[in-house]
Amino acid sequence: MASPLLLLQSLLFLSLPWFFISSATSSNPIPQPYVVYMGSSSNGDREDVEATELPHLQLLSSISSRQKNQKVSLLHHYNHAFRGFSAMLTESEASKLSGHEKVLSVFPDPLLQLHTTRSWDFLEVGSSDQARSQNHHPSNDVIIGVIDTGIWPESPSFGDEGVNEVPARWKGTCMEASDFKKANCNRKLIGARYYGIRSSNSNGTGTESTKASGSPRDSVGHGTHTASTAGGALVANASYYGLAKGTAKGGLPSTRIATYKTCTEEGCSGSLILKAIDDAIRDGVDIISISIGSSSTFQADYLHDPIAIGAFHAEQMGVLVVCSGGNDGPDAYTVVNTAPWIFTAAASSIDREFQSAVVLGSGRIFKGSAINFSNLTDSKKYPLVYAKNAAANFTPADEARNCIPGSIDWTKVAGKIVVCVDTDPMGSRKIKKLVVEDAKAKGMILIGENQVGDPLDSGVFPFTQVDNVAGYKILKYISSAKYPTATILKATAVSGQRPAPTVALFSSRGPGELTENILKPDIMAPGIAILAADIPKKDPGSVPFGEEPSKFSIKSGTSMSCPHVSGAAAIIKSVHRTWSSSMIKSALMTTATFVNNEGKPLMNSSRSLANPHEIGVGEISPYRALHPGLVFETTRKDYLKFLCYLGYSQKNINSMAGSEFHCPKNSSEELISDINYPSISIGSLNRHGLARAVTRTVTNVGPANSTYVASVDGPMGLIVEVSPSKIDFRPNARRVSYNVSFQGKEAPGGYNFGSLTWSDGAHSVRTVFAVNVE
Ligand SMILES: *[C@@H]1O[C@H](CO)[C@@H](O)[C@H](O)[C@H]1NC(C)=O
Ligand SMILES: *[C@@H]1O[C@H](CO)[C@@H](O)[C@H](O)[C@H]1NC(C)=O
Ligand SMILES: *[C@@H]1O[C@H](CO)[C@@H](O)[C@H](O)[C@H]1NC(C)=O
Ligand SMILES: *[C@@H]1O[C@H](CO)[C@@H](O)[C@H](O)[C@H]1NC(C)=O
Ligand SMILES: *[C@@H]1O[C@H](CO)[C@@H](O)[C@H](O)[C@H]1NC(C)=O
Ligand SMILES: *[C@@H]1O[C@H](CO)[C@@H](O)[C@H](O)[C@H]1NC(C)=O
Ligand SMILES: *[C@@H]1O[C@H](CO)[C@@H](O)[C@H](O)[C@H]1NC(C)=O
């Protein structure tokens, strides 16, 4: 339970739209934005705007009893890959619509949250030069659509030097605005769209506007960062004020980027994300990268989740959707974006740390973690004070030592270096730092391990965070020295850290809340302290004296790991142009690495063995994934069966499929384990029952005549049998099925994890399993 604060924040965050809903009782006829989802676009793409919008208007007028002068305001139409619209509706209108035969779901438009030089270099370590040279492939027209806060096109990461002409199949556009011209798009940044952003200053009187924010230009930085990680150009000498210097690049420098701006600082409206996915599919993107998600506390089912709906139809159209799994870890059941047709990313550390040392008056030096551009030096020390001893009048000592706002007597800390602890979850590091900075202190030492490995960017304010052992010694020094003093040295980046990667503490954990029979998250990628392009920020205190605002910044989150996976998928797609999205996903999953740079199994941030609910199948290894040997193809039929097994109605499933699909007779949730996924999860295995067998089908994409043999790495007590355990592939037998059975009589209770690896001597095809023995 190290994240009650995060949990609280997400609660507060989501309370906004829910508050609107609950306030709009049927006696309160104030229209609110709703999404109306109507299933697959059976007639395919329609250019005729009137023809697509008319049925929506007719549908609305059939249920609305409004007067002529009170027309329902339709906000967006979805009509390329799927049908539906968003509109301002009263609760009773929404309720009438949801009973309509043409409608699958109606839900209040949710507000979702925005959830690298060195990082890519780190991932390449261990891949053979041969694999890397095969990367220099002429086909380089992979297009990644990034749904986010827009883009800062002037960033050197979006330069198009050496990039070929825009692919002829591209149907997207570069929308203009007062601060964004057609010329801001180029052969690298080939598309830019923006959408009306729901005004965040709605006062609940129903006048909430959806005025266009006016430009694809990024004013937050998040979208610029994610886009440059997924597909940024090579930029030599990129750094954050000299820190983390290196060559910035996306996974594949020749990847094209199209940006779809749906978010502001406050978040992203679900109805706009749906519109952006619909547009991106029509524009011709190959991969969609979405570093956005709902809170883990209120997870909507798949038919009421705009990302799940949009991603389903994207998958049907051959577009891979990669999403962040969320930053609500380390508690279980926090992972979001868990539909099987979504590729879900967890976040890991890389082998780089940002260190900023504390030097005490006694001469002792402690290693701390921070990104700081303080101008303090080793030669001058400042008085050192424990915040608990500087409490304001009538303030509990526990609040003061946690540096809670209002708890500190300014006169006792001005000009000094203040030591705070991190035991009260009510204040974030940023808030504590502001409290101490406001009090005119010289610097701050935070004792705490809650965000270990995730350095706080404190700008020019001298800050560092030390672990509990160092903290104990610093406090002991304060209590024993007559005039305790210290200084905080400027941060340096230290590469080659071991062990790495490790799971980020904040990375959301499985199992999935909606079903435990699909293993989530899927895979892990770098998400701690990632250097990538940003908008140049000029906020006071963030730019070191005498410097220009940086064009790069260092950010952490599954928001940063998601575009690494998107970029890795682009590498695979550029070489294997005809592979489906599930083949690409499978290739990345079965070749992921499960050992760290010490050659030991991956660990979590408390140095324990990391399990698949933390890391999925392991860390992406993009170049190894170019030659996976075998792949699992998850078909349209698999996804439709998944919906059957979860209990969605036959009518809704037909509508999503856009054609007749007959659910298997005895659909039940446990059959979800049988869909042809590149990992196996069994949410409940009765130890007294029979063995549970699941079936998988592999497709040979390696040499036509190959023989693969299975080996199992399983926990003691769980009996795992593979049948057959040897497979001969032949030119006329590329697809072969096998069964894996699990017997838990002697197994420990709870989740048992292990893996099954098919090997032909040249390829290792590893599938991870998670079996909950009850
Ligand atoms: C709510 O916002 C609308 C439009 O912005 C404004 O006209 C109205 O006065 C506001 N109401 C309150 C109570 O602030
Ligand atoms: C990168 O920086 C180094 C030294 O800081 C310099 O020698 C080199 O010319 C720079 N390269 C570019 C492309 O700016
Ligand atoms: C550090 O910078 C601040 C302004 O950012 C300045 O007021 C202060 O004098 C500087 N301290 C030293 C030791 O240079
Ligand atoms: C790391 O894994 C161990 C063993 O599963 C677990 O007890 C611990 O809570 C985990 N630590 C974090 C930070 O998740
Ligand atoms: C479905 O289940 C029922 C009883 O649970 C069984 O009698 C029937 O044979 C099953 N049908 C199929 C197709 O498996
Ligand atoms: C694969 O094996 C078949 C016989 O099973 C043989 O006819 C064929 O030439 C072999 N192909 C290759 C590429 O080795
Ligand atoms: C897998 O198990 C199913 C049901 O138990 C059986 O019908 C099928 O023949 C088995 N397949 C293989 C490849 O063993």
Side-chain angles (χ1 to χ4, degrees), residues 222-302:
H222 191 269
T224 300
H225 206 276
T226 54
S228 70
T229 299
L234 289 168
V235 183
N237 285 355
S239 79
Y240 184 54
Y241 300 118
L243 270 180
K245 201 174 214 152
T247 299
K249 61 168 188 269
L252 200 63
S254 57
T255 303
R256 318 308 174 106
I257 296 167
T259 184
Y260 298 83
K261 179 175 171 183
T262 61
C263 308
T264 65
E265 190 104 51
E266 284 84 33
C268 320
S269 139
S271 63
L272 299 184
I273 292 175
L274 267 176
K275 182 69 183 161
I277 295 175
D278 199 30
D279 282 346
I281 295 168
R282 195 197 41 174
D283 288 350
V285 306
D286 299 299
I287 296 162
I288 297 177
S289 192
I290 307 181
S291 290
I292 297 166
S294 63
S295 150
S296 60
T297 345
F298 299 101
Q299 291 195 38
D301 78 275
Y302 301 112

Side-chain angles (χ1 to χ4, degrees), residues 727-742:
I727 302 178
D728 284 318
F729 291 93
R730 290 289 170 258
N732 60 354
R734 288 178 58 233
R735 278 193 185 82
V736 176
S737 296
Y738 61 91
N739 288 339
V740 193
S741 74
F742 300 92

Side-chain angles (χ1 to χ4, degrees), residues 116-117 151-159 217-218 220-229 232-233 235-244 246 248-249 373 457 530-538 542-544 547-555:
T116 212
T117 59
I151 205 154
W152 191 65
E154 291 82 5
S155 166
S157 289
F158 308 123
R217 182 170 291 275
D218 187 2
V220 178
H222 191 269
T224 300
H225 206 276
T226 54
S228 70
T229 299
V235 183
N237 285 355
S239 79
Y240 184 54
Y241 300 118
L243 270 180
K249 61 168 188 269
F373 300 100
D457 183 350
I530 302 304
L531 179 77
D534 201 342
I535 59 174
K537 290 202 179 100
K538 299 189 181 75
S542 69
V543 182
E547 299 256 14
E548 289 292 309
S550 177
K551 290 175 180 162
F552 294 88
S553 73
I554 295 166
K555 292 182 194 283

Side-chain angles (χ1 to χ4, degrees), residues 413-418 436-444 461:
V413 301
K416 299 178 184 171
I417 289 182
V418 180
V436 173
E437 195 173 11
D438 276 352
K440 304 273 185 291
K442 198 76 199 174
M444 169 171 169
F461 185 69

Side-chain angles (χ1 to χ4, degrees), residues 16-187:
L16 197 69
W18 287 90
F19 167 73
F20 289 140
I21 302 156
S22 56
S23 67
T25 59
S26 44
S27 63
N28 178 4
I30 294 166
Q32 305 289 340
Y34 277 87
V35 173
V36 179
Y37 170 49
M38 300 167 66
S40 167
S41 183
S42 44
N43 295 2
D45 187 15
R46 293 198 196 165
E47 291 300 338
D48 183 353
V49 172
E50 243 173 63
T52 62
E53 298 187 357
L54 197 60
H56 297 162
L57 286 166
Q58 285 167 341
L59 177 62
L60 274 176
S61 59
S62 74
I63 56 97
S64 177
S65 53
R66 292 197 211 176
Q67 307 296 321
K68 277 254 164 352
N69 58 351
Q70 292 182 289
K71 272 180 72 179
V72 173
S73 90
L74 263 159
L75 304 175
H76 298 284
H77 297 273
Y78 314 127
N79 46 34
H80 305 311
F82 49 94
R83 284 175 306 144
F85 55 91
S86 63
M88 300 296 288
L89 301 174
T90 64
E91 197 180 72
S92 82
E93 286 165 344
S95 148
K96 272 187 217 158
L97 265 181
S98 65
H100 195 281
E101 59 156 352
K102 285 186 177 154
V103 172
L104 273 82
S105 61
V106 178
F107 51 93
D109 189 3
L111 188 64
L112 307 181
Q113 297 159 281
L114 290 169
H115 271 263
T116 212
T117 59
R118 186 70 201 139
S119 52
W120 282 108
D121 291 342
F122 175 59
L123 286 173
E124 287 170 22
V125 171
S127 70
S128 71
D129 288 338
Q130 187 202 357
R132 228 177 298 175
S133 66
Q134 275 160 331
N135 176 42
H136 299 302
H137 196 273
S139 124
N140 57 2
D141 58 348
V142 179
I143 305 168
I144 302 181
V146 180
I147 298 180
D148 211 300
T149 61
I151 205 154
W152 191 65
E154 291 82 5
S155 166
S157 289
F158 308 123
D160 66 355
E161 204 178 314
V163 182
N164 293 343
E165 285 306 308
V166 174
R169 65 194 166 91
W170 177 242
K171 288 196 255 165
T173 184
C174 187
M175 285 170 71
E176 292 212 297
S178 62
D179 60 357
F180 202 100
K181 300 283 165 251
K182 280 256 186 304
N184 283 130
C185 290
N186 57 23
R187 296 187 305 271

Side-chain angles (χ1 to χ4, degrees), residues 597-626:
N597 57 4
E598 292 180 320
K600 304 214 176 82
L602 293 171
M603 288 185 247
N604 67 18
S605 53
S606 41
R607 302 271 163 110
S608 297
L609 217 59
N611 71 50
H613 288 147
E614 303 179 275
I615 62 173
V617 298
E619 180 92 348
I620 55 166
S621 184
Y623 291 99
R624 203 176 331 166
L626 286 173

